[in-house]
Amino acid sequence: MTHLLTAAMPRDAAIALLDLAEDMHQIQDRQVKKLPALRGRTVVNLFFEDSTRTRSSFEIAGKWLSADVINVSGKGSSASKGESLRDTGLTIAAMGVDGVVVRSGSSGAPALLADWIGRPVVNAGDGTHEHPTQALLDAFALRRRIHGDAARGKGLDGVRVAIVGDIAHSRVARSNALLLPALGAEVTLVGPPAFLPPGAGPTRLGVRATTDLDAVIAERPDALMLLRVQLERQTGAVVPSAAEYITGWSLTDERLARLGDEARIMHPGPMNRGLEISSRAADADASTILEQVTAGVSVRMAVLYSLLASDHPSSADGGSR
Ligand code: CP
């Protein structure tokens, strides 16, 4: 693996990353959370969009692997003076950094950066395109909930996952719709008509799509992943009112009761409590939301290790570009 730009990857590569994340996960139980693997390496977190989970967990992941981690944000950098992404990337590369983690509002920006700077690049979310480490951490958390400590080596075969909400604007939905089927899961996309990809029946992502959340709940899915309604990416005409959205697509207390005890409740965060998910659902025993956050550190450690550790065999195998 030379970069991590997409969640589209072969099953074997995904399971290898999830298994490596299992190894990294053990550090959570230690008093001294430090491995020497990336000593002497420098990672820049280049974030042009706001973030709590992704940026913090990449920083923690790098530090727990003993890398030096520098945070550069759009607002405080020369990007705010009009410097181009290419010039910002080349400037950072010229300082001798070993890898760049980038979040951008522009779909495709991480792939461009990867071509320009000749360093490993990790896509930490690009526009409405992809968020591959989110999909990996979602798969990791779900696999752990299902298989516990026996998760290593396993996929998500036959696991039925419904992803609900603003599919059209969601890089999380896209990356999950690419990764989860590769691991054997059956994915259904659910949302208002204007929030679903164009075309009836199987979507261009190759998974089922429907507007009927209540019918999906009646099928008793193994996991229900709620997506944040992205108020910052809406154009007024396509947004149902909050009341209409809640009526059709929110995981309300009443839908929670119908969902049953077996379904895991997932959300990438940040949540709009009371809009796409009720507080009771978010805090239920079935919720994996904080486990997903914890998994984010382990998965990002695995990704940084795979890309930057000189002793890791996949650092040049051309996996998920
Ligand atoms: N899920 C996610 O990407 O959250 P942040 O925007 O807080 O990083």
Side-chain angles (χ1 to χ4, degrees), residues 50-94:
D50 294 343
S51 169
T52 298
R53 290 148 202 79
T54 312
R55 186 159 84 170
S56 305
S57 58
F58 266 114
E59 182 170 355
I60 292 168
K63 287 181 171 169
W64 285 4
L65 289 167
S66 301
D68 295 305
V69 182
I70 312 297
N71 290 308
V72 178
S73 64
K75 282 170 199 144
S77 73
S78 290
S80 67
K81 302 177 196 165
E83 187 170 61
S84 69
L85 174 66
R86 184 171 184 273
D87 284 334
T88 299
L90 290 173
T91 299
I92 287 169

